[in-house]
Amino acid sequence: MKLIGRHAEMSQVVAGEVKKREMFGHAIAGFGQNLIFGLWSSYMMVFYTDIFGITAGAASIIMLLTRIWDGVNDPMMGSIADHTRTKWGRYRPWLLFMSPVIVIFLVLNFSSPDLSPALKVAYAGITYVLMSMAFTAVDVPYWTMPAAMSSDVQKRAKIISYSRMSTTLATTVLGVVAIPLINALGQGDKQKGYMMTALVVGIIGAGFYLIGFANIREHVQPVPNQKITLKSSIKAITQNRPLLLLLCCGLLANIGTMLKQGMVIYYVKDCVGSENLIPIFSILFLPGMFLGLVIAPMFTKRFDSNMVFIGSRVFGIVVDIVFFFAGFENVPLVMFLYALTSIPLGMSAVVSATMLTNTIEYAEWKFGNRQEGLISSTQTLTAKIGMALSAGVIGAVLEIADYVPNQVTTETQTMIHGAFTLFCAVIGGLSIVPMLFNKFTDKEHERIVKELEERRRQSEV
């Protein structure tokens, strides 16, 4: 029989089906991943400015330059993962290989050697880059695995939903225990407290990596001996219009999300006025995020993912605007509004991740090669660029407001509150724009998957 399409020989091969134990494995590995990421992303800036003693401007530059390097490093890691061949699969073994490396670099990031101001900046830059590379070597394969675990969109959505719940829970747990743990382990010495906390969190996170490794299995494989060239890799990204639109949208959405997460310590400490409330604010984030993660698959069963994403972002914009005008004097109201902001974040996290994995089939259908790692690496890249740009905004806000640790002023409070609410609303609005041009619907993806299956069947005749 005649093959459908000139790339029919490149269609995927599906062997086996994902089990609940494997979904649990992916979720539990994500718990460890976000324990580590939560400490690194949320506490790195405050550690640099308040503990290690470098300026917010220097810290922002370090993070921004690292994200520029990630523009090379993340796709490179995706390609390396695609080419990995072991008895455990292509992506799963990276959980095993990198677990001890992550622990080492996390501890080095939160260490405070006695150096001159210039050497402190150099030390922070080197260790931050190394940590970013080590984290990428786990993060890219980890978020690629849903596409390698199942070819069914609804099951992918379940895997991502469970894992997002797990990562959100980890971030919340970390937010609750971090400050008490730093104080307990440091016993008055914040430098020691941060370093020991990094060691404890790193070891626990690595343990969850290993549990995930033991349970995850990869069922979706490319046809053996498919040729992945530099040209085909470039095409899979630069000519993948749905992917490019999602990346633009994801970058903007990540800036807003990371800005809120990065600012919450400063917001609670300097606007609300009590560092002791930081764990409570971390808990407040959890119910709304979980609700968003749970209801997202329900909405995508009735509406196209594109529309669900836009709806969730509109809801978030409204909440942030109300939050801005409400101010920060009424603490119960602040807590309620902050809790509401997490609902659209949970919804958009599941929907955007699922839509991005769908572009893997789009690239396979259009170009003939299945490159899950390379395409998934763009998601982690935009997340880290968003983290860096949000750190840059935080640094700019603190610099403009003449921020001095533990010496809050009215100007500082106003700047932090505005960035925490109104600026996030503006970014949320901008993140909707790319989705208005996205014509790659759920129905279109379903049609492409069926055509790929037909190609595979005909190639076997």
Side-chain angles (χ1 to χ4, degrees):
M1 295 181 69
K2 186 179 179 181
L3 298 181
I4 299 177
R6 62 191 179 91
H7 294 305
E9 72 278 12
M10 293 299 184
S11 296
Q12 67 200 22
V13 173
V14 182
E17 189 48 80
V18 64
K19 300 176 182 177
K20 289 183 179 179
R21 177 174 65 88
E22 297 164 29
M23 293 185 182
F24 164 80
H26 194 265
I28 204 68
F31 187 88
Q33 178 81 332
N34 255 46
L35 280 180
I36 293 168
F37 182 73
L39 183 67
W40 187 53
S41 64
S42 297
Y43 290 84
M44 202 73 255
M45 176 66 84
V46 73
F47 171 80
Y48 280 153
T49 58
D50 293 15
I51 308 301
F52 195 39
I54 64 176
T55 66
S60 298
I61 290 172
I62 288 170
M63 293 178 181
L64 182 59
L65 292 177
T66 302
R67 297 296 82 84
I68 293 173
W69 163 240
D70 284 336
V72 175
N73 184 48
D74 280 38
M76 182 172 64
M77 184 61 226
S79 182
I80 290 171
D82 283 334
H83 285 84
T84 299
R85 296 292 183 270
T86 73
K87 62 182 180 181
W88 303 300
R90 291 175 290 165
Y91 311 109
R92 176 182 163 222
W94 291 96
L95 294 172
L96 176 66
F97 299 157
M98 294 306 298
S99 55
V101 180
I102 287 278
V103 178
I104 293 170
F105 287 130
L106 185 66
V107 172
L108 289 176
N109 266 231
F110 284 98
S111 297
S112 304
D114 185 13
L115 302 169
S116 67
L119 287 178
K120 280 188 175 183
V121 173
Y123 175 86
I126 292 169
T127 54
Y128 191 84
V129 169
L130 291 174
M131 176 61 189
S132 181
M133 293 178 67
F135 187 81
T136 294
V138 177
D139 203 42
V140 170
Y142 176 76
W143 288 112
T144 303
M145 277 189 275
M149 291 169 70
S150 178
S151 59
D152 182 87
V153 175
Q154 291 302 320
K155 285 181 178 166
R156 283 182 185 172
K158 279 187 178 181
I159 295 169
I160 293 170
S161 180
Y162 294 154
S163 296
R164 290 291 185 184
M165 288 182 195
S166 179
T167 57
T168 300
L169 179 61
T171 301
T172 304
V173 169
L174 193 280
V176 171
V177 305
I179 296 298
L181 194 59
I182 289 167
N183 292 334
L185 295 176
Q187 297 181 340
D189 184 347
K190 284 286 184 77
Q191 291 185 348
K192 178 183 177 183
Y194 270 95
M195 185 182 71
M196 293 304 298
T197 298
L199 178 62
V200 170
V201 169
I203 291 173
I204 293 173
F208 285 119
Y209 283 166
L210 298 179
I211 295 173
F213 167 79
N215 286 277
I216 295 169
R217 296 293 183 272
E218 297 177 18
H219 298 293
V220 182
Q221 301 290 340
V223 169
N225 303 318
Q226 71 169 342
K227 295 180 180 179
I228 299 176
T229 64
L230 177 61
K231 183 178 179 180
S232 69
S233 297
I234 293 173
K235 274 187 175 182
I237 295 177
T238 60
Q239 296 184 29
N240 191 333
R241 189 170 186 270
L243 174 64
L244 294 176
L245 290 172
L246 281 166
L247 293 181
C248 291
C249 172
L251 175 60
L252 291 165
N254 279 319
I255 292 173
T257 300
M258 297 294 183
L259 176 62
K260 198 172 289 289
Q261 291 179 349
M263 289 289 293
V264 70
I265 298 173
Y266 293 100
Y267 189 82
V268 176
K269 181 165 62 76
D270 296 323
C271 292
V272 178
S274 176
E275 189 178 74
N276 294 329
L277 289 177
I278 292 175
I280 295 176
F281 270 74
S282 297
I283 293 173
L284 288 172
F285 199 74
L286 186 61
M289 191 74 171
F290 267 21
L291 178 60
L293 293 169
V294 169
I295 65 177
M298 299 178 185
F299 275 92
T300 55
K301 284 184 178 180
R302 298 189 61 184
F303 307 100
D304 186 77
S305 296
N306 197 23
M307 297 307 299
V308 175
F309 179 88
I310 292 174
S312 68
R313 300 310 297 185
V314 169
F315 178 74
I317 292 167
V318 172
V319 173
D320 274 327
I321 292 174
V322 172
F323 200 165
F324 173 73
F325 287 105
F328 50 83
E329 290 81 9
N330 187 332
V331 177
L333 180 59
V334 167
M335 289 181 171
F336 173 72
L337 291 172
Y338 178 68
L340 280 184
T341 62
S342 63
I343 297 175
L345 296 182
M347 292 183 67
S348 60
V350 172
V351 176
S352 60
T354 304
M355 285 194 293
L356 190 135
T357 59
N358 291 349
T359 67
I360 293 171
E361 277 80 34
Y362 177 86
E364 180 186 357
W365 171 76
K366 189 167 185 178
F367 307 117
N369 278 351
R370 186 175 182 86
Q371 301 182 65
E372 295 103 320
L374 178 65
I375 291 176
S376 296
S377 72
T378 60
Q379 178 180 225
T380 63
L381 175 61
T382 54
K384 288 195 287 187
I385 292 175
M387 184 175 72
L389 293 176
S390 66
V393 173
I394 294 171
V397 169
L398 299 180
E399 289 286 340
I400 293 170
D402 296 323
Y403 173 78
V404 178
N406 304 316
Q407 295 181 29
V408 64
T409 65
T410 301
E411 183 182 17
T412 302
Q413 290 178 320
T414 301
M415 292 290 292
I416 291 174
H417 179 68
F420 197 69
T421 56
L422 193 59
F423 188 79
C424 287
V426 171
I427 293 296
L430 292 175
S431 72
I432 292 174
V433 175
M435 287 295 96
L436 300 177
F437 298 92
N438 185 21
K439 306 302 181 184
F440 185 52
T441 63
D442 292 345
K443 287 185 177 180
E444 180 68 9
H445 174 261
E446 185 179 349
R447 183 188 69 79
I448 285 174
V449 169
K450 288 180 179 178
E451 184 172 327
L452 289 172
E453 291 174 351
E454 182 64 22
R455 290 180 184 181
R456 186 175 66 253
R457 283 194 297 269
Q458 293 196 25
S459 68
E460 292 171 353
V461 174

